[in-house]
Every structure is written in structure tokens, then in C-alpha cells.
Amino acid sequence: MLSVPLPFLAGLVFALTLYRSLKGVDAPGSRRYFFAFLILYALQGVIVGLHFGYGVKALAPVQPVTAALMPPLAFLAFRALMDERLDRPWLHILPPLLVAAAVGFLRVLVDPLLLAIFFGYGIALWRLTLSGGADVMAEASLPRMGPALRAARLTAGLMLFFAASDASLAAYTSIYGSGDVPLAVTMMNLTVIAAVIVYYFAPDFSQPKPTAVPPALKPTEEDKATLSLVEAALEEGELYRSEDLSLARLARKARLPAREVSAAINRVTGLNVSQFVNDRRVAEACRLLRETERTVIQIMLDVGFSTKSNFNREFRRVTGTNPKQWRAEARTAQDAGARKISA
């Protein structure tokens, strides 16, 4: 029966996609919530599949409670990427406790509670993603900021989709019965798989290209002072070489709020934080290409890049060429200068 494997498959596909998007995240609090969320999401797929596919009725009371746990865990995980300090996270256990109480004593409230939980957390998470572009994911490593933001939006969208689809399914079954529930579950999970596939292959537009700073955003003296502190922090201990460098870590090193760091960099340089740091990395890469015999891969890793594609893309953005061509041209110019001096 088609509806049997699909809930598990949808859960697995979504869990693996989120894991891939967030595997470079170095925020202990966020990782804890993410692992719990991903495990629970995959488990929920199994529970739904067994319940509706094989008719395991014993899982019926469990399914709403585990479902109610997922939105708070997802919200806490992404919220921790924005700021490691979470105020009273224990409060988020209240929604699943309310659902558990409703399952035990007043089942008529289960569906409305689940609808409110998924819709409320979906809206809350979506609003968080609108508060500052990719830089809002301050605790994520710089290359993961964009993917983390997109993953948060995908998760919020799926929460809202499940809220709407479950409400529609509940209304349908109250009128026409539960005969078509397996088919409806199949369609819902096919939609989830399709959304995840589109997310996986869609271009990442979350990292803006460098643009000229608009007149209204001309930097102030305070912005320039902030940038000086950020540049000093970046050089201290050669922090820019750190592969897992995040906006939050850089801000803590400079003893400044993350949003202030991001805003100052944008207003003074017209770049986002990732581009600003990569400019420094590329400058060091150019020095090493010119002065050493290290391979391009060795230099790439030494200056803080983790993938060749990202290194080549950022190197071309800054210099207009690729590392091998830049090295050849720099060596040619250097030899020509040496011959001119000796002559």
C-alpha cells in the first residue's frame, strides 16, 4: 500500500536534508535540539505509517503527543542559531503536555490544539527568518548561514502546510468518514517530498551579491570604529582562518552585538559578513600563492575554506580569475620586475 512507506520516507528525506544543511553548525545548544527534532521527525514518520498503513491502533494515542513535540523543538533549534542564550526554554514543553492531557481526558481538543501548535510555531519561526536576512543565523558557520536560513523557512513552511492539511483532513473526515485518510496521508507526504526536493536543488539566493551602499546607508564614524574593532578581532590569532567561524563568534571576539557587526560591515564595505571575511581569506591566499610553493588545495584549507567550489567562487569574485591563473600571472609579473631591477 502506497501510504505505508511514504510517511517514513518523507520523514527520512526531510531529516537528511536538514542534517546536510546544518552539519557545519557549531552551536551546542542548537545541535542538541536539532538532533532531537530530526530523530523525532523520522520516528513520527514510522508511527504514522504503522498507524494508517498497518492499522496499529495502539499508536493512536502516541501520535498526537510526538507530533506536538516537533514544532517546539524545531523552533528552539533555529532560535538557538540566532542566539545561544534562550530564555526559559522549558516553557516549550507545555504544548505537548497539553496535548497529552487532552489525549487522556478530552480527546475533542486534540486536533484544535495540534492545529494551534503547528500554526503558531510556523508563524513564529517564519517571522524569525524575516528579521535580518542570512545574517540572522549568527551562530551558524559563515558558509552555513544561507542554507540554515533556507532550512528554517522550509521548516516553517512545512509546519504551516501540516496545520492547514490536518485541519482540512479533520473537516473532511468529520463529514465523509475516514475511508480516504490513507490516500490523503499519501498526498501530504508526496507534497513534503516534492517541497524538500525543490529546496535541495533550488539556487541559494540568501547570500546577496555585493552592491554599492545606498546614500541612505552611508557609514557613520561609529560604523568605521566598529569595523576597526572587527578587523582587529579577525586578525587576532588569525581568526579569519577558522573554518567554523560564525558571525556570533566574531562578534564575541570584538565584544560587540552581532547585529551591530553585520550592519557596520554592510554600511562601510557594501558586503555581507561572509564576503567580508572571505575577502581577507582571499588576500592571504594570494600572498601564499605568490610567495610559497604550496598547492592550491593546501592554501585553500590553510586560509579557512572547506570546499574547492566555494574557494574558487570567492577567489574569482575578489580577483576576477581563478587561483592557478592568478599565481601564473603574479609569478610572471614578479619575474619581469626582478629582470627589470637587475638590468
Side-chain angles (χ1 to χ4, degrees), residues 78 281 296:
F78 285 109
R281 290 171 171 170
V296 171

Side-chain angles (χ1 to χ4, degrees), residues 135 213 223 226-227 230-231 234 247 250 258-277:
D135 288 354
V213 182
D223 289 331
T226 295
L227 188 66
V230 172
E231 289 173 335
L234 206 57
L247 168 59
L250 177 59
R259 288 188 180 278
E260 185 176 323
V261 169
S262 176
I265 288 174
N266 180 255
R267 284 194 288 261
V268 175
T269 68
L271 304 173
N272 60 40
V273 177
S274 182
Q275 291 166 338
F276 175 75
V277 173

Side-chain angles (χ1 to χ4, degrees), residues 204-252:
D204 183 4
F205 298 111
S206 56
Q207 293 289 346
K209 293 184 177 359
T211 55
V213 182
L217 298 179
K218 286 297 183 181
T220 64
E221 291 303 317
E222 185 178 353
D223 289 331
K224 294 176 182 178
T226 295
L227 188 66
S228 296
L229 293 174
V230 172
E231 289 173 335
L234 206 57
E235 296 299 325
E236 186 178 343
E238 297 185 327
L239 182 64
Y240 66 88
R241 293 179 184 265
S242 176
E243 182 182 326
D244 61 355
L245 180 61
S246 66
L247 168 59
R249 185 180 171 192
L250 177 59
R252 285 192 290 267

Side-chain angles (χ1 to χ4, degrees), residues 38-301:
L38 294 178
I39 292 171
L40 187 63
Y41 193 98
L43 178 63
Q44 185 71 1
V46 176
I47 292 173
V48 172
L50 291 174
H51 180 198
F52 290 109
Y54 287 113
V56 182
K57 302 301 182 183
L59 293 175
V62 178
Q63 182 187 332
V65 180
T66 52
L69 278 167
M70 290 191 297
L73 283 174
F75 179 83
L76 288 171
F78 285 109
R79 182 66 182 82
L81 279 182
M82 302 173 190
D83 186 353
E84 281 192 331
R85 298 180 299 277
L86 293 173
D87 294 330
R88 294 176 292 180
W90 54 268
L91 287 175
H92 295 274
I93 196 64
L94 294 179
L97 287 179
L98 285 174
V99 171
V103 168
F105 302 104
L106 199 60
R107 291 193 64 87
V108 70
L109 291 179
V110 171
D111 285 337
L113 282 173
L114 284 175
L115 175 62
I117 290 168
F118 272 79
F119 188 76
Y121 276 101
I123 291 292
L125 181 55
W126 186 265
R127 289 183 63 187
L128 284 178
T129 67
L130 301 178
S131 58
D135 288 354
V136 74
M137 297 293 175
E139 294 289 346
S141 61
L142 296 178
R144 309 312 309 171
M145 291 172 75
L149 179 66
R150 295 174 65 228
R153 288 176 177 167
L154 173 67
T155 305
L158 288 179
M159 283 187 203
L160 295 173
F161 167 75
F162 282 129
S165 58
D166 285 354
S168 301
L169 185 59
Y172 180 88
T173 55
S174 67
I175 300 173
Y176 300 103
S178 59
D180 293 327
V181 167
L183 177 61
V185 172
T186 295
M187 297 307 298
M188 288 166 58
N189 284 281
L190 284 174
T191 302
V192 171
I193 293 172
V196 173
I197 290 173
V198 170
Y199 161 84
Y200 189 87
F201 289 104
D204 183 4
F205 298 111
S206 56
Q207 293 289 346
K209 293 184 177 359
T211 55
V213 182
L217 298 179
K218 286 297 183 181
T220 64
E221 291 303 317
E222 185 178 353
D223 289 331
K224 294 176 182 178
T226 295
L227 188 66
S228 296
L229 293 174
V230 172
E231 289 173 335
L234 206 57
E235 296 299 325
E236 186 178 343
E238 297 185 327
L239 182 64
Y240 66 88
R241 293 179 184 265
S242 176
E243 182 182 326
D244 61 355
L245 180 61
S246 66
L247 168 59
R249 185 180 171 192
L250 177 59
R252 285 192 290 267
K253 192 75 171 179
R255 295 182 175 84
L256 294 166
R259 288 188 180 278
E260 185 176 323
V261 169
S262 176
I265 288 174
N266 180 255
R267 284 194 288 261
V268 175
T269 68
L271 304 173
N272 60 40
V273 177
S274 182
Q275 291 166 338
F276 175 75
V277 173
N278 285 340
D279 277 10
R280 179 64 185 91
R281 290 171 171 170
V282 169
E284 178 63 12
C286 288
R287 185 188 71 81
L288 295 173
L289 286 168
R290 184 177 60 250
E291 299 178 4
T292 73
E293 298 301 326
R294 298 181 198 177
T295 66
V296 171
I297 296 296
Q298 288 173 330
I299 291 172
M300 175 196 83
L301 296 173

Side-chain angles (χ1 to χ4, degrees), residues 310-341:
N310 189 35
F311 176 54
N312 287 336
R313 181 173 59 251
E314 290 298 285
F315 195 95
R316 184 175 292 277
R317 176 181 64 82
V318 176
T319 67
T321 187
N322 64 53
K324 289 184 178 179
Q325 290 174 336
W326 192 95
R327 170 176 262 173
E329 292 171 1
R331 293 287 175 82
T332 300
Q334 197 173 38
D335 292 342
R339 287 195 298 269
K340 186 175 181 180
I341 291 174

